[in-house]
């Protein structure tokens, strides 16, 4: 019972901390004050994670929570429609509450692990979309910055997110994923380089990038299993995604 109250107390503290931080971010116009508030917010969230769980999975829980906070904030800063901005803000508050409450605990019951694992994987996918969209926006707003640097950052982020997703399925070290990490980084660089020439908005480019990256990530994850990729099962998935991707690209994106 005491642990349950501790969970709720620390999780509700994250709601208060994040709500105050988002309200302050909405009013700030000075970059160095913004940076100070950002560091205080992330430091406060990190301390809550430490109080919640400083023995098991602390580094993994901390990295996921701070990445989520930064990525969702970057998306909020890009959004122009007020109600969507508020929706993402509420979503961020809820996600941080959930992450601190669960703190990536592992249940002895596998059927409880699977939904939590899927949630974490989808959260990593969302985080990458937010960060990639942000850096595509940087490329649009600051055209004096060479895209090779922005593309490198996007590619490294794609590789790091991929490794963190694979770790949810395989209990292996980063070194065992090194080859696939490099492969994802190279492919992501090529994809981002091609996409940045397209005359689309940064959110659309982020979505298109994340879509292709997710398919690559999924195939590599299947390849790492004992069975490997069962192409007969994946053929329909790949063809349908290929068709949907180009339908989205040619018949929907142009109206955005």
């Amino acid at each position: 019972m005491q642990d349950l109250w501790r969970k709720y107390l620390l999780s509700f503290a994250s709601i208060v901390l994040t709500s105050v931080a988002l309200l302050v971010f909405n009013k700030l116009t000075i970059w160095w004050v913004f940076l100070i508030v950002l560091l205080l917010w992330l430091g406060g969230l990190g301390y809550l994670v430490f109080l919640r769980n400083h023995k098991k999975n602390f580094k993994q829980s901390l990295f996921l929570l701070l990445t989520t906070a930064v990525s969702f904030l970057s998306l909020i800063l890009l959004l122009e429609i007020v109600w969507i901005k508020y929706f993402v803000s509420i979503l961020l508050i809820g996600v941080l509450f959930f992450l601190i409450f669960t703190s990536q605990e592992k249940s002895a019951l596998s059927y409880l692990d699977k939904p939590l694992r899927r949630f974490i994987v989808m959260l990593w996918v969302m985080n990458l979309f937010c960060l990639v969209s942000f850096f595509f926006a940087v490329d649009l707003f600051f055209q004096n910055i060479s895209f090779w640097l922005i593309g490198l950052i996007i590619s490294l982020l794609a590789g790091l997110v991929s490794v963190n997703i694979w770790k949810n399925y395989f209990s292996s070290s980063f070194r065992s994923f090194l080859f696939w990490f490099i492969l994802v980084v190279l492919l992501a660089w090529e994809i981002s380089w091609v996409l940045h020439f397209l005359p689309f908005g940064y959110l659309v480019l982020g979505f298109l990038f994340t879509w292709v990256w997710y398919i690559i990530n999924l195939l590599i994850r299947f390849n790492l299993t004992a069975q490997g990729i069962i192409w007969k099962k994946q053929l329909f998935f790949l063809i349908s995604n290929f068709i949907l991707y180009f339908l989205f690209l040619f018949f929907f994106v142009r109206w955005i």
Side-chain angles (χ1 to χ4, degrees):
M1 181 63 70
Q2 184 178 1
D3 184 60
L4 183 62
W5 280 106
R6 181 184 180 86
K7 285 183 182 181
Y8 278 111
L9 182 62
L10 295 176
S11 301
F12 276 112
S14 72
I15 292 179
V16 176
L17 180 62
T18 303
S19 300
V20 172
L22 291 176
L23 288 173
V24 174
F25 287 140
N26 194 45
K27 302 294 182 181
L28 290 178
T29 56
I30 304 175
W31 70 268
W32 60 269
V33 179
F34 178 91
L35 184 60
I36 292 174
V37 176
L38 176 63
L39 292 176
L40 290 174
W41 176 47
L42 296 179
L45 291 175
Y47 184 62
L48 292 177
V49 176
F50 176 79
L51 293 176
R52 173 68 188 91
N53 180 17
H54 63 279
K55 294 181 180 179
K56 298 188 210 176
N57 302 319
F58 171 67
K59 291 182 180 180
Q60 189 174 358
S61 299
L62 180 65
F63 185 61
L64 175 60
L65 183 123
L66 296 185
T67 304
T68 302
V70 172
S71 62
F72 272 67
L73 178 62
S74 66
L75 180 62
I76 291 169
L77 295 175
L78 293 177
L79 294 172
E80 299 178 359
I81 302 176
V82 176
W83 72 267
I84 300 180
K85 187 186 291 277
Y86 285 135
F87 173 77
V88 176
S89 299
I90 294 172
L91 184 63
L92 171 60
I93 293 171
V95 168
L96 294 181
F97 174 91
F98 179 80
L99 289 178
I100 292 178
F101 186 81
T102 58
S103 191
Q104 286 192 297
E105 292 178 332
K106 299 259 183 173
S107 170
L109 301 175
S110 60
Y111 70 87
L112 291 180
D113 280 341
K114 200 169 185 180
L116 180 59
R117 183 175 60 199
R118 286 180 175 175
F119 172 80
I120 292 172
V121 168
M122 288 299 102
L123 184 57
W124 276 118
V125 174
M126 181 64 184
N127 287 341
L128 184 64
F129 163 73
C130 295
L131 293 172
V132 170
S133 299
F134 176 79
F135 282 105
F136 274 123
V138 170
D139 177 57
L140 178 65
F141 297 138
F142 303 95
Q143 297 187 5
N144 57 319
I145 301 177
S146 177
F147 188 78
W148 73 264
L149 178 60
I150 297 174
L152 177 61
I153 295 173
I154 290 174
S155 305
L156 290 174
L157 287 172
L160 288 173
V161 170
S162 296
V163 171
N164 278 278
I165 288 177
W166 299 331
K167 283 184 176 180
N168 285 277
Y169 295 91
F170 311 101
S171 56
S172 303
S173 63
F174 177 82
R175 183 177 298 178
S176 62
F177 297 125
L178 183 59
F179 170 78
W180 301 107
F181 168 80
I182 295 173
L183 179 63
V184 170
V185 169
L186 293 175
L187 291 174
W189 191 317
E190 293 293 333
I191 296 166
S192 63
W193 189 266
V194 171
L195 288 176
H196 99 280
F197 287 110
L198 300 178
F200 301 141
Y202 39 82
L203 294 177
V204 173
L205 292 176
F207 180 75
L208 293 173
F209 175 90
T210 307
W211 191 343
V212 178
W213 161 85
Y214 180 74
I215 295 174
I216 295 171
N217 177 275
L218 202 62
L219 291 176
I220 292 176
R221 178 166 68 82
F222 289 154
N223 184 70
L224 292 172
T225 61
Q227 292 181 332
I229 302 175
I230 303 176
W231 290 106
K232 289 183 179 180
K233 291 184 177 180
Q234 302 304 322
L235 188 60
F236 176 76
F237 171 77
L238 293 173
I239 293 175
S240 60
N241 272 270
F242 179 82
I243 294 172
L244 288 173
Y245 192 85
F246 281 94
L247 287 176
F248 178 82
L249 188 63
F250 290 107
F251 294 101
F252 180 75
V253 170
R254 65 175 182 169
W255 299 109
I256 300 178

